[in-house]
Amino acid sequence: MSDDSALVAEAAEEQGLLFTDDVSPLPSDTGYRGPTACNAAGITYRQLDYWARTGLVEPTVRGASGSGTQRLYSFRDILILKVIKRLLDAGISLQQIRTAVQHLRERGTDDLTRVTLMSDGVSVYECTSNDEVIDLLQGGQGVFGIAIGGVWREIEGTLAELPSERTAAEADDASTAGDELAARRASRRTG
């Protein structure tokens, strides 16, 4: 089996994960600009900017480091943005959302897709089993749920159709290749 065949087989095996109940691993080498993050999360750029400046969701791939720099958001950042949007749409206050987001940050990525957030319109609850959901419903309050695994898959589908950027190390490698190409083109025009 050639190296190319091994890579193709490995890629096919990874793609198989998309068709099970589990979610695929987090892409760690990709960042998304603000407009792409807004599009995937269903929020306005003004919301994104405010939430970044107030520390609710700061970009983890690359933060703004002065005028003209582009923030780059990770897949996980966009997942949190989408959850915040759904909580806002359900009438949850931004203060309660900040508490819920802090809790999600503390959980870590591995457990995140097994969490369903529940709310009665005033508080946000975490549910990780059917028993917890039943207990919440016995109080007589109407609640809604956000299954983060479902949001995860929804964002994966949306981001697959939108532009992304590679991290600095990969961008440096790509820019070197681009510079060589530009030099060849320039030498053809002058020579």
Side-chain angles (χ1 to χ4, degrees):
M1 185 187 255
S2 71
D3 288 337
D4 289 336
S5 299
L7 290 173
V8 170
E10 186 177 315
E13 193 172 297
E14 287 176 20
Q15 287 295 320
L17 290 174
L18 296 175
F19 302 104
T20 66
D21 289 334
D22 293 333
V23 293
S24 59
L26 278 175
S28 60
D29 65 338
T30 304
Y32 302 92
R33 289 185 179 210
T36 301
C38 290
N39 189 331
I43 61 172
T44 66
Y45 192 82
R46 181 175 287 202
Q47 286 173 307
L48 181 74
D49 183 55
Y50 176 72
W51 295 344
R53 286 186 289 111
T54 60
L56 181 60
V57 179
E58 296 175 276
T60 57
V61 176
R62 183 174 65 209
S65 57
S67 180
T69 59
Q70 289 287 324
R71 296 180 184 125
L72 289 181
Y73 290 84
S74 69
F75 181 90
R76 181 184 168 92
D77 297 336
I78 296 171
L79 177 67
I80 300 296
L81 290 169
K82 184 77 168 185
V83 169
I84 290 170
K85 169 69 169 139
R86 291 212 175 153
L87 290 169
L88 282 172
D89 290 348
I92 306 300
S93 74
L94 202 53
Q95 181 180 0
Q96 288 286 347
I97 291 171
R98 285 184 189 280
T99 303
V101 167
Q102 182 59 38
H103 179 75
L104 291 175
R105 281 190 183 121
E106 291 168 2
R107 285 196 65 80
T109 303
D110 294 339
D111 290 339
L112 203 53
T113 59
R114 291 172 174 56
V115 171
T116 297
L117 297 179
M118 304 292 286
S119 178
D120 57 7
V122 177
S123 297
V124 178
Y125 306 96
E126 172 195 356
C127 299
T128 54
S129 72
N130 290 338
D131 294 337
E132 287 179 315
V133 174
I134 292 167
D135 288 342
L136 288 174
L137 294 177
Q138 285 178 355
Q141 292 283 347
V143 295
F144 75 94
I146 299 174
I148 295 180
V151 177
W152 180 296
R153 284 184 284 279
E154 184 180 330
I155 290 174
E156 272 184 329
T158 303
L159 288 178
E161 301 168 6
L162 297 170
S164 65
E165 292 189 20
R166 295 290 177 193
T167 56
E170 291 183 16
D172 289 344
D173 293 344
S175 66
T176 304
D179 292 342
E180 290 173 19
L181 182 59
R184 287 183 197 164
R185 287 181 180 152
S187 69
R188 268 192 246 149
R189 278 185 245 145
T190 59

